[in-house]
């Protein structure tokens, strides 16, 4: 396929560089190739910016040493821009102030905090040391979600809730937004297209009722993310959890919903670019774009060939990422990444 | 001791009728004498109004039948005014609307709701059926406390937190009040005077640090209560949990703090009368008063003779409830109740 073919296509859509605000890298330990693999798949799939989650199956970024280890894996592997975040633990709040300038955000993994500890006290400690200029992200659910929304409101902090998937949770967030609380949220793209009806053995998938309420409350959803969900689904189904699961499915799934009249292209751009850039105070990437063809199945389907995907055989998905341009340089063509390492670590970026 | 002795004493203080906003009756089952015993001890101890907690060791008031059973025990036993409340469960929200007019408040026992259920959904269900004109009380702690404060704020409901005893909890309530949330709270009198330092085996007592923070945050404490704590302490220490534990200790303990300069008489009146009447929209009791002598140990010490008390041998406590007048009638003299049954069931009272 020649470059002229792509550009003259009637079914071509050009998007800005996409942001994955919750990129799961299975191993964050020094020497791992997972970051490189995830970055490459991301670029081929239309993402030009990755916000790396601070916990993997190997390693969590909870202190300076772990952050350095994770960063060492980005040498010659930065196919996209990226930033790291740091994870809150019960007792690392005092260390974190020194790390704040070196990461994109603080992530409070409510579901990993031990059940017996006083989460209010822990979160309050973290609020008191974390600069207001840096975002706070949490995966809190149900009563913990309500709890952190109150704390954020009382302490005048923004908070971003990641991976929302329950009906009551999205309703609570919608209500909180209505009442003027400074809360934003994302949902995993997989949670819009897979439910426990499809895979009853996957505990992290929403029920059908939960999924319906996500669609109904889309106006309250600021961002879409890839997140950990594809890896959790693979794990629950006994598949190998390889780096980059779910990333290549993102645009094909979302554009199938455009075709079904459930989403507009504008809905996608706002949730994978505009809102992420605003909420996480990211750089605008200059001369960066993603050109997709919405009537072709890619000859190189990353979902089918590189990684397991529950959607690999889905003939309804026919979106190809034709080309990706980063900082004015074409870096990916039909799933083949040029190998140019143009990405930057923007972890310490602050808005002027 | 003649009636003239009492009235001429230099050390006599006259209080309005006191309200116990959280009165524990061990058995709420039909045929129990516990209500009668609790009411008698209450009157002798200066309380002229009891708000009965809807859960005992036997029986919980979670539906109309249980309410009728508990009410049947008040015949010829109403030594004080009283009201009943109803307890929320995971699945009784739809029944409760019919009970709302028959009880003084809804109590949401957060610590008795099963851990696995979605408490946000349960509380939201109860908020949606319970009339805004009737109070809601809960014992929520830590993340559950933050959660219910958010829900109350989002749904524009008042909420009263009962039995606060943790440092972080009272700090959170203080902060919420500062920010204008419609929250009120009470602490158990025992929690001001007993800590885990005294009885390490009593899990429900505050730590010394928790207790210190209760004293420091007294301005955020709307009411004092007797509550379940004295019965929990007795249980933990292997003592018999007889009806009325802790009630007779209330005024002696609080006036010992007056003597120590830690409380004023005004602090006591506001938290055992004025604020309870306002928060729970209770009747003013006409011609009702409590006369105490703050320099005598009672010849009939209810704490020592009727019930076990950790303070029975405390010589620093020398407050006697000399006489109690209810609706213009002297009904108790030096711990001896006249037997007149002047109390009314004000469960269905509504402010005009
Ligand atoms: Zn092409
Ligand atoms: Zn489906
Ligand atoms: Zn932009
Ligand atoms: Zn910058
Ligand atoms: Zn006398
Ligand atoms: Zn003491
Ligand atoms: Zn009054
Ligand atoms: Zn009335």
């Amino acid at each position: 396929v020649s470059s002229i073919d792509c550009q003259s296509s009637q079914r071509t859509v050009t998007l800005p560089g996409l942001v994955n605000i919750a990129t799961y890298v299975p191993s964050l330990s020094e020497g791992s190739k997972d970051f490189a693999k995830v970055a490459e798949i991301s670029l081929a799939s239309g993402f030009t910016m990755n916000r790396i989650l601070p916990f993997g199956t190997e390693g969590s970024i909870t202190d300076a040493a772990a952050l350095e280890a994770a960063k060492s894996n980005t040498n010659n592997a930065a196919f996209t821009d990226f930033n790291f975040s740091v994870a809150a633990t019960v007792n690392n709040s005092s260390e974190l102030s020194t790390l704040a300038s070196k990461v994109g955000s603080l992530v409070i993994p409510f579901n990993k905090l031990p059940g017996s500890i006083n989460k209010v006290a822990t979160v309050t400690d973290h609020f008191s040391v974390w600069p207001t200029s840096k975002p706070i992200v949490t995966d809190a659910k149900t009563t913990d979600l309500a709890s952190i929304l109150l704390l954020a409101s009382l302490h005048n902090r923004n908070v971003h809730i990641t991976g929302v998937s329950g009906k009551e949770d999205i309703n609570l967030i919608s209500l909180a937004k209505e009442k003027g609380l400074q809360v934003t949220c994302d949902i995993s793209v997989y949670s819009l297209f897979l439910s426990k009806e499809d895979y009853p053995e996957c505990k992290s998938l929403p029920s059908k009722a939960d999924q319906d309420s996500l669609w109904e409350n889309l106006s309250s959803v600021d961002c879409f993310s890839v997140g950990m969900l594809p890896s959790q689904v693979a794990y629950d189904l006994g598949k190998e959890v390889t780096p980059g699961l779910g990333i290549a499915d993102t645009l094909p799934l979302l554009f199938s919903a455009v075709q079904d009249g459930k989403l507009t292209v504008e809905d996608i751009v706002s949730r994978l670019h505009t809102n992420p850039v605003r909420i996480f105070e990211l750089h605008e990437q200059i001369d960066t774009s993603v050109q997709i063809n919405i009537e072709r199945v890619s000859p190189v389907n990353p979902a089918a060939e590189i990684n397991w995907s529950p959607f690999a055989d889905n003939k309804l998905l026919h979106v190809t990422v034709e080309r990706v341009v980063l900082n004015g340089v074409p870096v990916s063509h039909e799933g083949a990444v040029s190998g140019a390492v143009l990405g930057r670590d923007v972890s310490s970026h602050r808005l002027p």
Side-chain angles (χ1 to χ4, degrees), chain A residues 6 54 66 118 121 140 148 185-186 204 248 268 276 291 329 333:
Chain A
C6 306
N118 189 319
I148 203 163
C185 73
D186 69 78
S204 31
I268 297 175
Q291 183 183 306
V329 180
H333 184 217

Side-chain angles (χ1 to χ4, degrees), chain A residues 109-133:
Chain A
F110 245 86
N111 295 311
K112 297 191 178 184
L113 293 176
S116 59
I117 65 133
N118 189 319
K119 292 172 179 179
V120 171
T122 300
V123 170
T124 303
D125 285 350
H126 282 289
F127 277 6
S128 69
V129 298
W130 194 252
T132 50
S133 57

Side-chain angles (χ1 to χ4, degrees), chain A residues 276-305:
Chain A
V277 166
R278 176 179 50 81
I279 294 167
F280 296 102
E281 304 188 348
L282 304 174
H283 278 291
E284 273 299 341
Q285 295 175 304
I286 308 301
D287 288 333
T288 296
S289 64
V290 176
Q291 183 183 306
I292 65 174
N293 183 315
I294 58 176
E295 283 205 335
R296 281 176 59 218
V297 178
S298 170
V300 181
N301 182 337
E305 297 187 15

Side-chain angles (χ1 to χ4, degrees), chain A residues 10-141:
Chain A
Q10 298 297 304
R11 308 297 305 178
T12 287
V13 177
T14 301
L15 308 172
L18 305 181
V19 180
N20 184 2
I21 62 167
T23 305
Y24 181 64
V25 174
S27 171
L28 296 164
S29 303
E30 196 158 354
S32 163
K33 299 282 178 221
D34 288 4
F35 177 90
K37 201 76 214 160
V38 167
E40 186 181 358
I41 293 173
S42 295
L43 192 66
S45 306
F47 289 97
T48 54
M49 167 70 198
N50 278 303
R51 287 182 24 85
I52 310 296
L53 286 168
F55 22 79
T57 44
E58 268 177 56
S60 290
I61 303 176
T62 57
D63 58 23
L67 177 61
E68 283 314 307
K71 281 195 180 189
S72 69
N73 297 333
T74 68
N75 291 331
N76 274 316
F79 300 110
T80 70
D81 284 351
F82 62 93
N83 70 22
F84 283 102
S85 290
V86 66
T89 69
V90 175
N91 42 34
N92 74 346
S93 66
S94 58
E95 292 176 61
L96 290 193
S97 52
T98 61
L99 282 184
S101 65
K102 299 177 179 168
V103 293
S105 61
L106 172 67
V107 180
I108 305 178
F110 245 86
N111 295 311
K112 297 191 178 184
L113 293 176
S116 59
I117 65 133
N118 189 319
K119 292 172 179 179
V120 171
T122 300
V123 170
T124 303
D125 285 350
H126 282 289
F127 277 6
S128 69
V129 298
W130 194 252
T132 50
S133 57
K134 284 271 177 174
I136 292 180
V137 177
T138 180
D139 61 356
K141 298 182 188 310

Side-chain angles (χ1 to χ4, degrees), chain A residues 157-320:
Chain A
R157 305 287 309 225
N158 301 352
V159 66
H160 178 86
I161 316 299
T162 191
V164 177
S165 78
K167 184 182 175 190
E168 289 81 8
D169 290 351
I170 191 68
N171 284 338
L172 183 65
I173 290 167
S174 297
L175 182 61
K177 283 177 168 233
E178 259 172 47
K179 301 276 174 171
L181 269 71
Q182 299 167 296
V183 54
T184 54
C185 73
D186 69 78
I187 61 179
S188 171
V189 172
Y190 263 38
S191 66
L192 286 172
F193 297 94
L194 283 182
S195 77
K196 285 202 182 78
E197 274 192 18
D198 304 305
Y199 296 114
E201 58 272 57
C202 293
K203 299 237 182 302
S204 31
L205 286 174
S207 71
K208 197 76 189 68
D210 287 331
Q211 187 180 70
D212 289 347
S213 78
L214 294 180
W215 281 106
E216 283 156 21
N217 285 280
L218 267 190
S219 62
S220 297
V221 173
D222 301 278
C223 309
F224 295 142
S225 64
V226 179
M228 296 178 64
L229 185 55
S231 299
Q232 289 169 319
V233 169
Y235 181 84
D236 287 341
L237 295 176
K239 308 291 178 184
E240 192 183 355
V241 181
T242 51
L245 288 180
I247 294 172
D249 294 323
T250 305
L251 285 178
L253 287 171
L254 293 174
F255 274 88
S256 77
V258 172
Q259 207 167 356
D260 294 348
K262 297 167 82 177
L263 283 178
T264 65
V265 175
E266 194 48 44
D267 287 333
I268 297 175
V269 171
S270 67
R271 288 167 181 81
L272 285 178
H273 174 80
T274 322
N275 294 342
V277 166
R278 176 179 50 81
I279 294 167
F280 296 102
E281 304 188 348
L282 304 174
H283 278 291
E284 273 299 341
Q285 295 175 304
I286 308 301
D287 288 333
T288 296
S289 64
V290 176
Q291 183 183 306
I292 65 174
N293 183 315
I294 58 176
E295 283 205 335
R296 281 176 59 218
V297 178
S298 170
V300 181
N301 182 337
E305 297 187 15
I306 304 181
N307 273 318
W308 174 79
S309 162
F311 303 104
D313 298 326
N314 192 328
K315 298 297 178 221
L316 297 174
L317 306 179
H318 32 65
V319 164
T320 302

